[in-house]
Amino acid sequence: TDWQASATKEYSANESNITIKVRDNAGNIYTYPTAQSITNIDKEPPSVPTVNLNGYVSGTETTDEIKITLTSTDNQSVSYYEYSTNKSSTTRVPNNPWTISNELNATYYFRAVDHVGNTSGWTSGYTFIRKIGVDIAGTKIPLVESGDGLYKVSHNDLTELSSVWNKTEYRYAGANPNNYVSFNNEIWRIIGLVNVKVGTGVEQRLKIIRTDGIDGQDKLGMYAWSNGKESTWSVNVSYSSNWTISALKDMLNGAYYESKSGECWKGSIGNIPVKSECDFSGNGSLPKGLDATARNMIDKEIIWNIGGSSTYNDVTVKMFYERERGTSTYNNYPVEWSNTTDVGNKHNGIALIYPSDYGYAVGGDVRDNCLTKYLYNYKEDNCATNDWIFNKDYIYFLTPSTEKDSSFVLQFNGTIFTYATNISMYIQPTLYLTSSTKIIDGTGEIGSPYILK
């Protein structure tokens, strides 16, 4: 009768002259006639892998993809590589070379595994810090969720605006983020990549603001929004909050824009200004106006929203954002400033910041709490002190009141209030850069500001 037998024995080393015998249930023994040999048993591990990071430096932060190449030798062949954060639980390296394209902050150890499962020793630890970067004017800048830096601002909960404004913005926030930029041979700061109206749609542009008192930079001075003598809109008033006809608009987009001397209305804080001659040529006491390179970087096709708010002490940053882009104004003034709505042919793309720019610039551990507060209460809970736009001065905003001829002002203590537009306040020119303007160098630190081209 034919019969079969099977058995398994594990050998841990090479052996020769192995005799194979088979015994059946009746005690009959069959001896295989030829002795067998066991050879090529592999117990030799691969070498500890060499790790090539292809230019990345372990422990440094990057927004670029990280490419890892592993190399090991074995007496037979290396089958695959593993990595671990603790040298205990392991994960197979998916590819070699391996490209890390996700956000990561971890230390990895690597080892090689050969075709029979022998494992090498572990490499030393390599720390990978990769952050998902946002393309800001051609440069990848990492996002943050705490501290100072570039924050993602979602507008998917707007209730008063069209869905075209739902685009996600990216804004710098915190007490002192690295948002310094060289512009007009001065130090300005980047507000962020923000939503703007262009034609009939909404696009995104880089918004920047001239900084006062940075690195010894002189302040531009204190000016009135209105000189009380502009042509009025539909009623006879002594001063106006209509930006399209304002004396301040004319000065910024005239003498300051062209770096020359021109009419302005200056004064001291809280006082009614007097007519003056402001020399922005660089030959007087005032800072020089814009040079040709700076002028060419300004996007003059932007339609600035100049909607207003009826109240000041019960408005959150989200509410201001919507009202600025809304359709409510005082005295039926225009809700937009553009080449077609400007009066006096003084539209060169220079204006002021919005209250929402100030509100969204708060960062640090207090950010979430502050974004739910009324801007009038930003003096509380360290909101203002964690907001880089706050500088303890009285600063005009672009946004007017809808109840009277007045404009919103950032006060010295971080609160928001409205003042008559014939009162002198500090101003900080604000503008949008063209979509073709790129960041070509710098880190955004005050000692290494971003360089534009």
Side-chain angles (χ1 to χ4, degrees):
T1 301
D2 293 334
W3 54 274
Q4 295 179 336
S6 64
T8 300
K9 178 176 175 57
E10 182 176 318
Y11 288 87
S12 60
N14 295 335
E15 293 189 29
S16 58
N17 298 322
I18 297 174
T19 300
I20 300 175
K21 295 182 178 182
V22 180
R23 183 192 300 272
D24 65 13
N25 291 334
N28 300 309
I29 297 175
Y30 172 77
T31 302
Y32 195 78
T34 305
Q36 302 295 308
S37 297
I38 303 297
T39 60
N40 296 325
I41 290 181
D42 183 4
K43 287 294 182 179
E44 183 177 339
S47 64
V48 175
T50 298
V51 182
N52 182 356
L53 301 183
N54 296 285
Y56 174 73
V57 178
S58 175
T60 61
E61 183 178 303
T62 184
T63 57
D64 296 330
E65 293 183 332
I66 302 173
K67 184 179 180 181
I68 304 168
T69 304
L70 302 168
T71 305
S72 174
T73 58
D74 185 67
N75 64 338
Q76 296 294 320
S77 63
V78 173
S79 180
Y80 57 90
Y81 296 90
E82 294 177 328
Y83 68 91
S84 176
T85 59
N86 54 16
K87 301 183 184 180
S88 177
S89 59
T90 62
T91 303
R92 182 179 293 200
V93 175
N95 300 289
N96 189 32
W98 177 28
T99 299
I100 297 176
S101 56
N102 58 295
E103 188 162 281
L104 181 67
N105 188 342
T107 298
Y108 287 163
Y109 305 86
F110 298 93
R111 72 180 183 184
V113 183
D114 70 12
H115 70 298
V116 295
N118 297 316
T119 58
S120 72
W122 290 102
T123 66
S124 58
Y126 292 84
T127 299
F128 301 99
I129 307 173
R130 182 177 188 272
K131 297 202 173 180
I132 302 298
V134 175
D135 191 323
I136 303 293
T139 294
K140 287 289 186 69
I141 299 177
L143 295 176
V144 300
E145 295 182 352
S146 62
D148 295 355
L150 187 67
Y151 282 78
K152 177 180 178 180
V153 179
S154 297
H155 294 298
N156 55 8
D157 60 346
L158 300 177
T159 58
E160 300 177 22
L161 291 177
S162 164
S163 60
V164 297
W165 291 100
N166 284 353
K167 295 177 184 289
T168 296
E169 296 182 327
Y170 300 94
R171 292 175 175 265
Y172 279 100
N176 190 26
N178 291 330
N179 60 341
Y180 296 93
V181 60
S182 178
F183 181 78
N184 193 46
N185 293 313
E186 299 174 315
I187 299 297
W188 290 46
R189 298 188 83 166
I190 299 174
I191 292 174
L193 186 66
V194 302
N195 297 331
V196 294
K197 189 173 182 181
V198 182
T200 58
V202 173
E203 299 181 10
Q204 294 190 313
R205 293 290 188 275
L206 204 62
K207 188 175 188 179
I208 65 174
I209 180 174
R210 188 183 188 275
T211 52
D212 282 344
I214 296 296
D215 201 24
Q217 186 163 289
D218 291 335
K219 295 181 178 181
L220 206 59
M222 292 171 283
Y223 304 86
W225 173 307
S226 165
N227 59 16
K229 300 183 183 302
E230 304 104 327
S231 58
T232 58
W233 197 244
S234 62
V235 297
N236 187 23
V237 295
S238 59
Y239 52 89
S240 170
S241 59
N242 178 359
W243 176 257
T244 67
I245 64 172
S246 76
L248 180 56
K249 179 268 302 182
D250 286 349
M251 184 199 77
L252 287 174
N253 291 271
Y256 176 72
Y257 175 83
E258 298 169 3
S259 289
K260 66 180 186 180
S261 183
E263 180 182 294
C264 65
W265 293 80
K266 295 183 65 177
S268 58
I269 283 292
N271 293 319
I272 296 176
V274 295
K275 183 178 178 179
S276 305
E277 188 74 11
C278 288
D279 185 0
F280 294 107
S281 67
N283 297 319
S285 60
L286 292 174
K288 191 175 187 300
L290 301 187
D291 60 28
T293 300
R295 292 196 291 266
N296 289 334
M297 289 184 179
I298 302 173
D299 194 331
K300 303 173 183 66
E301 301 304 314
I302 299 299
I303 300 173
W304 289 72
N305 295 92
I306 47 177
S309 174
S310 60
T311 56
Y312 67 89
N313 59 355
D314 59 355
V315 191
T316 65
V317 60
K318 172 183 174 293
M319 293 166 66
F320 263 119
Y321 184 87
E322 294 190 295
R323 293 180 185 184
E324 294 156 3
R325 291 150 187 80
T327 58
S328 296
T329 59
Y330 176 67
N331 199 25
N332 293 317
Y333 292 154
V335 297
E336 294 178 343
W337 176 53
S338 66
N339 288 319
T340 58
T341 63
D342 182 70
V343 178
N345 195 28
K346 294 291 186 182
H347 184 288
N348 286 310
I350 306 176
L352 307 173
I353 58 171
Y354 294 122
S356 66
D357 292 327
Y358 168 60
Y360 282 124
V362 64
D365 296 337
V366 300
R367 178 176 173 82
D368 289 345
N369 173 52
C370 294
L371 292 182
T372 66
K373 297 177 73 69
Y374 302 140
L375 264 65
Y376 178 74
N377 294 329
Y378 258 39
K379 64 180 179 180
E380 303 171 354
D381 298 335
N382 295 315
C383 295
T385 54
N386 281 279
D387 191 312
W388 64 268
I389 290 179
F390 173 60
N391 66 1
K392 298 182 180 180
D393 279 329
Y394 287 86
I395 300 173
Y396 264 129
F397 288 124
L398 182 61
T399 303
S401 168
T402 61
E403 298 299 302
K404 55 186 177 180
D405 270 307
S406 61
S407 171
F408 283 91
V409 169
L410 173 58
Q411 300 190 109
F412 77 98
N413 60 357
T415 61
I416 298 287
F417 201 67
T418 57
Y419 285 82
T421 55
N422 64 342
I423 300 298
S424 296
M425 301 288 176
Y426 282 107
I427 61 167
Q428 292 183 283
T430 305
L431 54 89
Y432 298 100
L433 300 176
T434 63
S435 58
S436 60
T437 301
K438 302 299 181 185
I439 295 173
I440 60 171
D441 202 0
T443 62
E445 298 170 281
I446 191 169
S448 177
Y450 290 121
I451 306 299
L452 301 174
K453 181 178 180 180

